[in-house]
Every structure is written in structure tokens, then in C-alpha cells.
Amino acid sequence: MEDYKALSQEHIFNTYARLPVTFVRGKGCRLWDDNDKEYLDFLAGIAVCNLGHCNPEVTRVLCEQADTLIHVSNLFYTRPQIELAAELTRLSFADKVFFSNSGAEANEAAIKLARKYSKDRYGEGRFHIVTMKDSFHGRTLATLSATGQEKVHKGFEPLVEGFAFVDFGSPAAVENAITERTCAVMVEPIQGEGGINLPPANYLEGLKELCRKHDLLLIFDEVQVGMGRTGRLFAHEHYGVTPDIMTLAKALGNGLPIGAMLATNQAAEAFVPGTHATTFGGTPLVTSVALRVLRIISEPSLLERVRETGEYLMGRLRELQQRRPSIREVRGLGLMVGAELDRPGQNVVTKLLERGYVINCTHDSVLRFVPPLVVERAEIDRLIQALDDALAEETQ
């Protein structure tokens, strides 16, 4: 492990605060390091490996497609891409799909589509987008500019012009930020990096009504919350509101890099040949895998299991909260769960890693639990015991 750590420090950009573990293999909810130590994974690559590591069916499709056709230019048709797009639109509000390589690229495409749609409809000058404080939309220049966290902006100014940030959860704040230059409202139905923040009742409905009133596009960023994570295929289904544009990534390929922007026909018509493109987005390899992942995750029995297991996880965490008052609040939906501490949480993350449990901390003090959707109750029980021990040490 030390040799690889030294090689990494010598040859790889120092852009991650890496933890001192080198993982070499995974299966389901388990990971093993280069000393063959086993870990229980409650992070899933940050909500990526929703079907667990090396899911046999995903691996079978990956190998078959790798032996058939990996890549051709998007100048040509390929069956897996078309079949995935057809399935995504069948299962959602959308009519059209644009494939990319990541969530940031999907959000970049959404920002461009909103601006182009507005320019085609209203002419120059109407390109501002209202986004939320504590949001996270990516690390490209436009998506970090759209992100409502100052720490993400630092060092990259001047940012891309045209984003207004308001408090998450307040339709009135959004309405106050709307001007004649506004073209869209962009929001995560549940904030992930911002600390697992759920919307208040009727919030998304309020945003939908504002967008209808001012003829704005409503963009839902479901990069982290989508693909079954909350117990529905898409998080916005919990609230009965559909957007004009939605972005997906992370779990769509269960570990293979793929992003997607979905839109209604009305919005999608703003993109024509030459306005937007990608070299690697939607290759036969990743779309064949994503199609299989989508079909497995959209099974009602799996989604019901996510809801039940998520309630069990939150229930166990709330029990622990009674004994450990350093847990200020437990919140979440499905298997997207946060436990906010009354102090920074990184020490707890490190203590759990030493015990063989992988989680992370977001927004400084929120322990984030986003395990593979196939996690078992017995594995949750083991995590809770380890967390109890770690918090006991922390408060000694």
C-alpha cells in the first residue's frame, strides 16, 4: 500500500484528500484492500455502484458488449444507445435523451440547452439561471459557477456569468430572484453534497408553478439522487412534479462513466446538429451496461426493498441518536441518508475506516450513508455497532 501511495503522490495531481487505503477488489457491498482486509461499503463510490460491486449480470453484459462493439462515432446509429434512450423516456416524463460521460457534462448540457431554448424563443439577454445555496452541479467551469458553494468557486474567478443563488426550500426566494433575464431554475430534488437536505412540502410544486408563470425551464439535477437511490426510480416522483430537463449519471452505469440529459420535446428542439456534441458519450459499451442496470433498478420489488431498507437504516440511526447526543439530526429518503453531528465528522469517518466501514462526510458535519441498494439489514446492524463505538471514542 505504501508503495502505491508514494507513486500516487509522485505522479498523480494532488486534487483529492485520499484516505490511506488501496482497494483491489469488490463484490456486492464488500471491498478488500491490498492486505486482503475486508470493508463494508456504505458509500458505493458516492452513490455510483447501486447494484453493488461487480454485479454478475452487469459484468456479463459488459464482457459480451466488449467482445462485440465498444465505440463508433456518434455520426452513426448504434442499437444499445437507442434502446437505452427509448427505455429512459418510457420510464420518465422525457421525450429525448442526450448522452455524455459524467454528471457534470450532463449538467453543462442542461445549462446550454436552457440558454439556447430561451434565446431561440426570446432573443438575446435572457440567459440567467436561478440555483440553490449548498447545491452541487459539477466541476466544469459552467457547473461550478452554477454550484451554490463558495468553496467550489475559490481560485476560478471570474465565474461564468448568469447564476443567482437563493436559499434551498423557499419558492418566494426564487421568485424574488427572477428577472426579465432569467431563463431557468435548476435544483436537486434532494441536495446530496449540501448535506442530504430534503425539500419542504410543496417546494418543488411551487418551483413548477413559478416556471409556468414566467415561462422558465425547470431543471432537476438527479445525478446523485436518481436511479433508485431514494426508493423511486427518480427522486422527483416522490413529489409528483416533473421538470422540463433532468440530468442523470453516477449509478446509471453502475461504475461505468455515463451521463444523460433528458428533456421534453419542446425543450429538446433547441438543440440541432452542430449545437452540442460529445466523442465518447453514449458508446455501445456503456449504454448496453446502463440499459441492463436501468431494467434491474426499475423493478418494483427492488425499489420497494430500497424504501424498506432505508427506513430500517434511519430507524437504527435514530435509536443510536438517543444514546449519542452528538448526532444532532438523522434525515434522508430511501438509502440516501445523512446523520448530522454537532462537530466536524471526518474523525468519525477515519475511525470507521479503521474498523472496516466505508462512509464519508459532507458539508463538514454530515455523515453520508449511500450504500449499494442491495445492502442487507445485518450489514446495517454491523455498521451501527461500529458507529456507536466510534462516537463513544470521539466523545471520551
Side-chain angles (χ1 to χ4, degrees):
M1 188 270 286
E2 288 303 322
D3 288 344
Y4 278 103
K5 181 179 177 183
L7 282 169
S8 173
Q9 290 174 341
E10 183 177 356
H11 297 296
I12 296 178
F13 266 81
N14 184 31
T15 55
Y16 302 99
R18 295 185 196 268
L19 296 163
V21 176
T22 302
F23 287 120
V24 295
R25 61 191 172 95
K27 191 70 176 174
C29 295
R30 313 294 170 96
L31 288 165
W32 286 268
D33 69 13
D34 53 352
N35 293 313
D36 210 30
K37 178 180 176 180
E38 182 181 299
Y39 298 77
L40 264 179
D41 186 3
F42 279 80
L43 188 58
I46 311 183
V48 168
C49 300
N50 277 11
L51 295 179
H53 298 280
C54 299
N55 175 280
E57 183 63 11
V58 172
T59 300
R60 181 188 67 77
V61 172
L62 173 64
C63 292
E64 287 181 0
Q65 188 61 45
D67 199 38
T68 304
L69 182 66
I70 293 177
H71 173 80
V72 294
S73 168
N74 276 313
L75 293 173
F76 305 95
Y77 297 105
T78 59
R79 289 180 182 174
Q81 185 184 102
I82 296 165
E83 289 174 352
L84 176 59
E87 192 71 352
L88 281 169
T89 55
R90 185 183 73 81
L91 293 169
S92 72
F93 69 94
D95 302 302
K96 295 286 195 303
V97 183
F98 176 87
F99 291 110
S100 60
N101 306 292
S102 67
E105 289 174 82
N107 283 331
E108 186 94 13
I111 292 166
K112 288 180 67 177
L113 181 63
R115 287 185 168 194
K116 181 67 164 50
Y117 171 86
S118 188
K119 184 175 182 181
D120 290 350
R121 200 175 179 92
Y122 295 101
E124 300 284 349
R126 193 176 185 269
F127 60 90
H128 287 201
I129 298 176
V130 180
T131 70
M132 309 305 149
K133 294 177 182 175
D134 294 328
S135 62
F136 184 85
H137 299 296
R139 299 277 186 175
T140 65
L141 193 56
T143 57
L144 76 83
S145 299
T147 293
Q149 299 188 44
E150 190 177 343
K151 65 181 182 183
V152 177
H153 299 162
K154 283 183 178 177
F156 300 105
E157 301 86 352
L159 304 179
V160 173
E161 182 186 0
F163 295 98
F165 307 106
V166 302
D167 289 334
F168 179 72
S170 170
V174 172
E175 183 156 35
N176 288 338
I178 292 172
T179 70
E180 72 270 4
R181 306 185 78 185
T182 305
C183 70
V185 175
M186 185 173 190
V187 62
E188 299 156 279
I190 299 171
Q191 291 188 333
E193 294 295 318
I196 316 294
N197 299 319
L198 274 69
N202 302 320
Y203 174 58
L204 297 181
E205 293 95 322
L207 296 187
K208 179 82 173 182
E209 181 55 34
L210 281 176
C211 287
R212 187 182 294 116
K213 176 181 174 183
H214 296 278
D215 198 11
L216 312 176
L217 293 181
L218 180 59
I219 305 169
F220 283 170
D221 176 347
E222 293 230 9
V223 166
Q224 185 170 149
V225 301
M227 297 304 297
R229 172 56 54 189
T230 63
R232 303 265 186 196
L233 184 56
F234 307 117
H236 67 261
E237 294 175 14
H238 290 281
Y239 306 100
V241 177
T242 58
D244 302 289
I245 302 172
M246 175 175 69
T247 54
L248 299 172
K250 288 192 178 289
L252 182 56
N254 205 57
L256 264 68
I258 180 172
M261 176 185 67
L262 288 70
T264 61
N265 270 332
Q266 182 176 337
E269 285 174 0
F271 271 6
V272 297
T275 51
H276 197 56
T278 172
T279 295
F280 295 109
T283 67
L285 187 70
V286 297
T287 50
S288 63
V289 168
L291 178 61
R292 191 68 192 120
V293 170
L294 176 61
R295 284 175 172 162
I296 296 173
I297 287 179
S298 60
E299 284 291 328
S301 59
L302 176 61
L303 296 172
E304 175 62 25
R305 186 181 184 282
V306 172
R307 293 192 288 273
E308 291 175 357
T309 312
E311 288 175 8
Y312 183 74
L313 172 56
M314 278 192 283
R316 292 303 320 272
L317 284 167
R318 286 179 175 134
E319 288 174 14
L320 183 59
Q321 184 184 18
Q322 301 303 312
R323 297 195 303 278
R324 303 294 175 199
S326 58
I327 300 178
R328 182 178 289 159
E329 183 182 10
V330 176
R331 55 181 181 261
L333 195 59
L335 283 168
M336 185 173 184
V337 178
E340 184 169 358
L341 304 181
D342 62 1
R343 65 198 68 192
Q346 192 56 43
N347 281 346
V348 177
V349 172
T350 302
K351 290 179 186 299
L352 281 173
L353 189 69
E354 292 168 353
R355 290 167 165 81
Y357 299 85
V358 180
I359 68 166
N360 86 330
C361 179
T362 186
H363 213 58
D364 189 48
S365 61
V366 180
L367 304 180
R368 177 167 47 179
F369 306 94
V370 283
L373 305 184
V374 295
V375 66
E376 301 283 347
R377 290 190 176 202
E379 293 168 332
I380 290 172
D381 291 340
R382 287 176 52 189
L383 168 78
I384 296 298
Q385 182 59 60
L387 179 58
D388 192 9
D389 295 342
L391 290 174
E393 274 188 20
E394 184 71 10
T395 54
Q396 279 179 352

